Amino acid sequence: MASITIHVEPRHADNTTCDHKVKPSGKPRDAASGCTGRTAYAVVCSEHGDVGTPHHVKQLAEPAATEHRQEHRAALATR
């Protein structure tokens, strides 16, 4: 059985992954990078893809990731 990973991923406004260096405000550090800035954080599961709706604050996305991880653990425990 493959392991399931769940992580919080920063996103641009168009929902693409943002792996650029940004300022605390979410604006890009390098204006020439083509980054539009981070606007949200999505919980991503390797089995289910995006889980729920993106959160605008990372601290709100982390509990959602933990909750989804617990759902997977509960499902394994009932098998």
Side-chain angles (χ1 to χ4, degrees):
M1 178 158 103
S3 69
I4 297 169
T5 59
I6 300 162
H7 65 279
V8 176
E9 182 176 273
R11 298 282 178 91
H12 295 123
D14 64 358
N15 208 31
T16 58
T17 302
C18 177
D19 56 1
H20 306 95
K21 293 186 186 250
V22 295
K23 298 175 185 175
S25 66
K27 303 289 182 194
R29 288 197 183 273
D30 179 13
S33 69
C35 177
T36 58
R38 291 183 185 164
T39 59
Y41 293 87
V43 176
V44 181
C45 173
S46 61
E47 185 175 310
H48 299 116
D50 287 2
V51 177
T53 57
H55 302 270
H56 294 288
V57 180
K58 187 174 184 178
Q59 285 76 13
L60 296 176
E62 290 169 348
T66 301
E67 182 180 326
H68 188 72
R69 193 173 294 112
Q70 293 298 335
E71 291 171 9
H72 277 286
R73 288 185 182 140
L76 287 174
T78 61
R79 287 186 185 176

